[in-house]
Each structure stands twice: as C-alpha cells, then as structure tokens.
Amino acid sequence: MHPLLVRRRLLLLYLLAWTPILALLTAINWASGRMSVVQAASVLGPACLVYAFVCLSPWYICRTRPLSIARITDLVATWTVAAVAASLVLVGCAWVAASLLSQIPSLEILEQKLRGDLPLLFGMGLLLYLLSAGLHYTAMAAEQSRDAERRAVEARALAREAELQALKMQINPHFLFNSLHSIAALATMDGSRAREMCIRLSDFLRSSLRLADRESISLHDELALARNYLEVERVRFGERLRVEEEVESACQECLVPALLLQPLVENAVKHGIAGLVEGGSIHLSASRAPSGVTIAVENGFDPEMPPPRKTGLGLAHVRRRLQVRYGDTASLEAGEVDGIYRVVLRFPCEGSVGAA
C-alpha cells in the first residue's frame, strides 16, 4: 500500500498540496472565456480530488518498473498507456461533474462549455501524471540511497564490533600464557608462592571474564582489574614491584573498552620492572578534562637491556582498539625520558555506567 494511504496526516498534507493545482486548472479554464471562476472550480474540484488519488498509482508502477536504460522502450510504452488512462479519468470525472451540475436550471449549458476545454484538460492530466511518476522515482531513489547508507553504517558497526571483540579475545590467552610461564618458574623455586599466584590468578581471571563480556566498563572497574593483575605479579616480584596511583574521582565512571589497560601494565612489568635488579614502581594516573580522559602508565626500565625480540600485543593492540572505538578523537603517546617509560592515553568520556 502507498505510504501516504496509511498515514492520515501525510495524506491530508498531500491533498492540501493539490489546492494550487486546482487553482491553476481553474485559472486556465476561466482564461478560455467559457466558464466563470466559480463554474470552473465547481467542475474541476471533484475531478482534482479523484485525480489526486489516481496520481498515487505511479508508486505501484515504479515498484514493478524500475528505471533502466535497457528497458527504456518498455518504460515509455508503460507510462504512455498509464498517463493516457489517468488523463481520461480526469476528463471523465470533470464531465460527470459538469453533467450533474447541468441539472441545475442556471447551469444547464455547463456541459457544453466544458466540451471545448476537454483537450486542454486532457493535456494537463498527462503532464500531472508524468510529473507524479517522476516524483515517485525520485522518492524511491532517495529511499534506496537512505537504505544503502543505513546498511553501510550497520556493516561498519558490525565490522567494528567484530574487530573489537577479536582484539579483546586476544588479551586473556596472551596474559594467561605469560602467567603460566611465571607459575612454572616459581614452582621449581618456591611452591607456596606458586600456589598463592595460582589462587590470585584464578581470582583475576574470574573478575576479568565477568567484565570482559561487556563492551564497555567503568574506569573504576578497569583500574580494579589492573590492580588485580598487579597483585598476581606481586607474588612473583615481591617488594621489587611497587604500585602508585593518582586517579581523579571525576573520571571514575567514564566508560572505557574492557581490558584496555591490561597490555600496558603487563608490558610495564614484563619489559620494565622485570629488568631492574632493585625493582621499581609503576605509576597509574587518570584525570578528567573537557576534552575527555587522560590515563598515564609510567614505569622504570633498564636502558641497557636489549629490546625484547617480540613485544606481543602491547602498544599496537591498545592503539588499534582506541582507533576502532573512538577514531580520531583518541590518541596514544609512548616514549622514554630519564629511565622512565611513559604511555599516555587520551579519549572521550562516554557517559556513565548507569547511563549506558
């Protein structure tokens, strides 16, 4: 069914749009000198009302006869027949109206006056019907364009979601493999510490799996996961691993991708603290600004140590997640100054958990 026929308000607006067309046809008939303005409007008013609904029929033809250069002959024939038939309806309605009005004594010659204007009325009917066909094709093209754009947006969203999910699924196995290696190393030296690390690791995995199922979690929960991970590593490093935090309360409820900080604190331990004989500190800071959230992870490292042969996910992983999630509104900066390696993340604050 035509969309205008199922929405009463749009149908009313459409019929009101025919008022100028009725006025134009009335003026043309009045200009011929055969009818007065009132007589022309009385004849053409009912005819235009019926013809307004007839001019909705191109919607059905457009659906079955889309524009195509290869079918141009078929289209011309179809629309010619449809326009002629529709114009005959307009002429017929005007003739019926004139015949009925001719029953009034003062209007008995109205039917004869209309006869001379029928060719002009037929031509106007052709033009109006073909104009309606063109408008319907334009509306269909706009609708198809909107549908294509919506499908493209949905496809991009699905691809983005799939990539985020794939990136997130890489984190736990990567961390788990490293932790199992650490437990294996501890088991040969200190069984009780290896057992404690297993317990803390199970607690961490339980909480991380629970939260990682979500697309976004609060920065408060994300920092809690980072602390849990560092507690696991503290079993192995003892007093060699120290953690300092400086987190503003204003950014605690901002949403972040789950496990965003995990690769950063893991690298800080693996490539920083693990290489220092005396150990060192990992400094976590988070602050809120009008432009969004700024998170920094700092750790000491030994500049004389050779660079790792394989860095794993690390910074490239986090940078890609930020790019997929926030686009150009997020950034990641990393570098070393005076024996301190610093990674800074900047991204928008997307509401709170309650709002999400």
Side-chain angles (χ1 to χ4, degrees):
M1 183 177 291
H2 197 290
L4 291 179
L5 298 178
V6 296
R7 302 179 66 177
R8 184 176 301 177
R9 184 176 180 182
L10 290 180
L11 179 60
L12 179 60
L13 292 175
Y14 168 73
L15 293 177
L16 289 176
W18 272 82
T19 303
I21 298 176
L22 173 60
L24 175 63
L25 293 177
T26 301
I28 292 175
N29 277 268
W30 171 75
S32 67
R34 297 184 180 89
M35 297 183 187
S36 66
V37 173
V38 175
Q39 290 174 341
S42 300
V43 171
L44 295 176
C48 281
L49 179 61
V50 174
Y51 201 60
F53 288 95
V54 173
C55 284
L56 295 179
S57 63
W59 185 83
Y60 303 95
I61 302 177
C62 291
R63 294 284 172 176
T64 57
R65 296 285 192 277
L67 287 177
S68 173
I69 298 298
R71 303 176 59 187
I72 188 66
T73 303
D74 179 50
L75 287 173
V76 170
T78 299
W79 287 112
T80 300
V81 172
V84 170
S87 298
L88 289 176
V89 172
L90 176 62
V91 171
C93 289
W95 185 261
V96 170
S99 299
L100 293 175
L101 290 173
S102 296
Q103 305 300 319
I104 301 175
S106 60
L107 300 175
E108 60 272 359
I109 61 172
L110 188 60
E111 189 174 351
Q112 298 177 1
K113 291 181 178 181
L114 178 65
R115 185 177 292 110
D117 293 330
L118 290 181
L120 179 60
L121 186 61
F122 180 82
M124 293 297 295
L126 286 176
L127 291 177
L128 288 173
Y129 192 82
L130 293 177
L131 176 62
S132 175
L135 291 176
H136 277 87
Y137 272 127
T138 302
M140 281 183 55
E143 180 183 357
Q144 291 170 356
S145 176
R146 287 193 299 269
D147 289 342
E149 183 178 356
R150 183 174 62 252
R151 287 194 298 268
V153 170
E154 291 176 353
R156 288 195 296 268
L158 290 174
R160 170 179 169 271
E161 182 180 350
E163 183 173 0
L164 283 173
Q165 188 66 20
L167 289 170
K168 190 165 61 177
M169 290 299 292
Q170 296 175 28
I171 296 176
N172 276 334
H174 179 264
F175 161 70
L176 185 57
F177 295 151
N178 289 339
S179 297
L180 290 176
H181 283 300
S182 299
I183 292 173
L186 276 178
T188 59
M189 297 182 296
D190 191 334
S192 60
R193 290 174 63 195
R195 184 166 55 255
E196 182 183 354
M197 190 171 183
C198 285
I199 296 173
R200 291 186 179 275
L201 176 61
S202 65
D203 292 338
F204 169 76
L205 289 177
R206 186 179 298 110
S207 58
S208 64
L209 289 174
R210 174 175 56 84
L211 294 175
D213 287 338
R214 309 178 193 172
E215 180 180 351
S216 301
I217 63 175
S218 67
L219 180 58
H220 175 273
D221 290 337
E222 179 66 20
L223 290 172
L225 285 176
R227 294 187 199 102
N228 289 343
Y229 163 75
L230 292 173
E231 286 297 325
V232 174
E233 293 290 15
R234 199 193 299 272
V235 177
R236 179 161 61 112
F237 290 97
E239 295 300 322
R240 291 176 58 207
L241 175 59
R242 297 177 293 278
V243 180
E244 301 170 356
E245 288 190 24
E246 188 177 349
V247 180
E248 293 182 2
S249 58
C251 59
Q252 292 271 10
E253 296 305 316
C254 293
L255 299 180
V256 300
L259 300 176
L260 179 69
L261 299 181
Q262 173 62 36
L264 301 183
V265 293
E266 187 175 348
N267 279 351
V269 173
K270 184 178 179 181
H271 304 305
I273 306 304
L276 297 173
V277 177
E278 300 297 329
S281 299
I282 295 177
H283 184 79
L284 294 173
S285 63
S287 59
R288 178 77 182 273
S291 59
V293 179
T294 299
I295 300 177
V297 180
E298 300 176 349
N299 62 273
F301 72 101
D302 186 357
E304 298 181 359
M305 284 190 64
R309 290 176 298 177
K310 183 179 179 181
T311 57
L313 301 175
L315 298 179
H317 179 281
V318 177
R319 182 178 283 110
R320 182 57 184 161
R321 292 189 74 191
L322 289 175
Q323 181 183 7
V324 172
R325 173 68 176 267
Y326 302 106
D328 295 334
T329 60
S331 65
L332 184 151
E333 300 173 1
E336 55 184 78
V337 178
D338 297 331
I340 300 295
Y341 195 85
R342 190 168 191 257
V343 181
V344 181
L345 312 179
R346 294 184 177 89
F347 50 88
C349 176
E350 293 184 340
S352 64
V353 176

